[in-house]
Amino acid sequence: MNSIGSSTLYWAASVVFGLPLLLIGLTEWHQSLTRKNSHLARPVMLLRTYLVPLGALLVLLVQVAKMPAQFTSVRVLATVFGFVVLVLLLSGLNATVFEGAPQGSWRQRIPGIFLDVTRFLLIGAGLAVILSYVWGVRVGGLFTALGVTSVVIGLMLQNSVGQIVSGLFMLFEQPFRIGDWLATPAARGQIVEANWRSVHIQTGRGLQITPNSVLATTSFTNLSRPPGGHHLVITTTFSEADPPDRVCALLTRVATALPQRRTEVVATATPVGGTEYRVTIGLKSPADDSAAQATFLRWLWYGARREGLHLDGAEDDISTTERIEQALRMVAGRYCGSAKRISRRCGRTRKSSATGRARSSSRPAACPTR
C-alpha cells in the first residue's frame, strides 16, 4: 500500500513540477527557432501545445487516478495522443528531411506525390497501431483483405497502373521541369504541366498531351538544359560558283546582327560539303527559334543579292550592269527634277521679294505731322 502511494506521489510530483519547466523550455526553444526562421519551429510548437499537455493528462488519469485502461475516456485520450504523435512524426520528418534540402539534391528532387504516398503509409501504420494496442482490434485480417484487393485492382488496371508507375519514376528523376522546352517525336514546345500520368506541351498548334509511359519508352531532347546552352542550327544552300569564304563571312555577319542572339556566344558558319553551309547561332531561349530563323532568312536574301551571291543556287538578273545603270539613271533623274523644282521655287521667291521692295520704294513719303 505504501509502495502504491509512493508511486502515485512520484507521478503527481513529476507532473506538477516537471510540466511547467518543460513547457517553459519548449517555449524558449520555439521562440529561438522562430527568430531563426527554422523549419523545426512547427514541430516544436506541436510538441509544446498538444503532445506534452495530453501526455501529462494521460499520466494523471492512469498513474495518479489509477483509472483502468479499458475505460472509454482513457482510450479516447490515448487515441488523441496517438494522433498527435503521428502528426508530430510527419511534421518532423518533413522539416528535417525535405524542407531544408539543398538545391539540386535528391531530397529536393523527390516529387510531391511520393511524399503524399509516404504520409499515407505512415498514417495507415499509425492507425493500425492505435486500433491494435488501444482498442484491441485485430488488424491482420484487414491487411490481408487489402492485399488481395490491391492485387485484383492491379490486374484489372494494368495499363493505367503502368502509366502511373512510369510517371512516378519520371517525376522522381526529373529530366525536365515546368517551363522547359521539350522536343519529342510527336511534338516540340514548352511544358506547361507535368503530373503523375502525362506531360502537357504547349506547341504552336495547340496543347499536346503525351502520356508518361510514352516518354519513358522513347528518347526526347530537353532544349532548356543546360541553361544558356541552346543553339539554332540553320542549313543554307548556295551556288557552286560562290566563294566559300565570302559565303561564310556573309552568313556570320547576318547571324551576328540578329537581336535574339546571345551576345556572349559567337555565331559560326561552316561549309558541310557540296553547296550546303551550316550556321550555328546561340539564342537566349528556345522560344526565339521561329523569329530568329525567319529574320535570318529574310536578311540573308537581301545580303546575298547585295554581295552578288546565289542563295539556293538562284540565277537572277537583279544585280546586272544594265539594272544598276537603269537604277542610277532613275535616281539621277529624280534628283535633277527635284533640283529644277527647287531652283524654280527659289527664283519665284527672289522675284516676289524684289517686287515687294520696288513697291515700297515707289510709295510717296508720309507728311510730317504738324
Side-chain angles (χ1 to χ4, degrees):
M1 192 71 180
N2 293 331
S3 61
I4 296 177
S6 61
S7 63
T8 302
L9 182 61
Y10 170 77
W11 283 108
S14 300
V15 172
V16 170
F17 295 102
L19 179 62
L21 295 176
L22 187 58
L23 290 178
I24 292 173
L26 291 176
T27 301
E28 294 296 329
W29 189 19
H30 177 260
Q31 291 179 356
S32 176
L33 294 175
T34 303
R35 287 192 298 268
K36 296 178 182 179
N37 293 325
S38 175
H39 300 292
L40 295 174
R42 185 172 181 272
V44 173
M45 183 191 68
L46 291 175
L47 181 63
R48 180 202 65 180
T49 308
Y50 301 103
L51 190 61
V52 172
L54 287 174
L57 182 59
L58 190 61
V59 168
L60 290 176
L61 291 179
V62 176
Q63 299 296 335
V64 178
K66 298 300 181 179
M67 295 181 63
Q70 290 76 18
F71 277 21
T72 305
S73 58
V74 176
R75 287 183 173 181
V76 171
L77 185 59
T79 303
V80 176
F81 182 81
F83 272 113
V84 175
V85 171
L86 194 59
V87 173
L88 180 62
L89 289 177
L90 294 175
S91 179
L93 179 65
N94 188 47
T96 55
V97 179
F98 301 108
E99 289 187 359
Q103 185 68 23
S105 62
W106 66 271
R107 293 182 295 169
Q108 193 269 337
R109 293 198 307 268
I110 293 180
I113 190 171
F114 277 98
L115 302 182
D116 296 337
V117 172
T118 303
R119 294 190 186 100
F120 178 77
L121 294 178
L122 290 177
I123 292 174
L127 291 177
V129 171
I130 293 174
L131 292 175
S132 177
Y133 284 92
V134 176
W135 297 94
V137 178
R138 294 183 179 181
V139 296
L142 179 61
F143 280 110
T144 302
L146 289 176
V148 174
T149 305
S150 300
V151 171
V152 173
I153 294 176
L155 293 176
M156 293 174 59
L157 305 174
Q158 293 184 20
N159 295 331
S160 300
V161 172
Q163 292 182 5
I164 294 174
V165 172
S166 301
L168 292 178
F169 280 107
M170 185 168 295
L171 289 175
F172 181 77
E173 184 183 0
Q174 284 191 347
F176 47 78
R177 295 179 181 178
I178 303 297
D180 287 353
W181 283 76
L182 211 64
T184 67
R188 180 184 184 277
Q190 189 177 20
I191 300 176
V192 296
E193 182 181 351
N195 51 45
W196 50 268
R197 183 183 177 276
S198 61
V199 176
H200 298 187
I201 304 175
Q202 182 65 50
T203 65
R205 301 181 302 272
L207 190 64
Q208 177 76 25
I209 300 176
T210 304
N212 289 325
S213 58
V214 175
L215 291 178
T217 57
T218 187
S219 60
F220 55 86
T221 304
N222 190 340
L223 303 176
S224 300
R225 296 189 183 181
H230 178 64
H231 293 80
L232 175 63
V233 179
I234 302 176
T235 301
T236 58
T237 304
F238 284 81
S239 174
E240 295 181 354
D242 295 332
D245 291 340
R246 290 183 57 192
V247 174
C248 291
L250 173 64
L251 294 174
T252 304
R253 186 167 63 252
V254 174
T256 304
L258 289 176
Q260 298 87 359
R261 184 183 67 88
R262 295 203 312 274
T263 56
E264 67 275 9
V265 179
V266 180
T268 59
T270 56
V272 294
T275 59
E276 293 185 351
Y277 296 83
R278 180 175 295 123
V279 187
T280 304
I281 310 168
L283 298 182
K284 301 175 183 177
S285 169
D288 299 329
D289 281 2
S290 299
Q293 184 171 357
T295 304
F296 176 82
L297 295 177
R298 188 174 67 253
W299 289 0
L300 182 61
W301 189 90
Y302 290 103
R305 277 150 179 79
R306 284 195 299 268
E307 296 291 334
L309 301 176
H310 304 84
L311 180 62
D312 295 330
E315 295 291 343
D316 52 48
D317 55 352
I318 293 180
S319 299
T320 60
T321 306
E322 292 78 6
R323 279 184 170 271
I324 294 175
E325 292 179 356
Q326 182 180 0
L328 291 175
R329 292 194 190 97
M330 185 181 300
V331 173
R334 291 179 179 177
Y335 176 76
C336 293
S338 300
K340 290 180 179 179
R341 287 195 298 270
I342 293 173
S343 178
R344 288 196 297 267
R345 189 178 303 167
C346 292
R348 287 196 299 267
T349 304
R350 287 195 297 268
K351 184 176 180 180
S352 60
S353 300
T355 305
R357 287 196 298 270
R359 289 177 180 176
S360 61
S361 60
S362 62
R363 291 176 183 174
C367 296
T369 57
R370 295 181 180 179

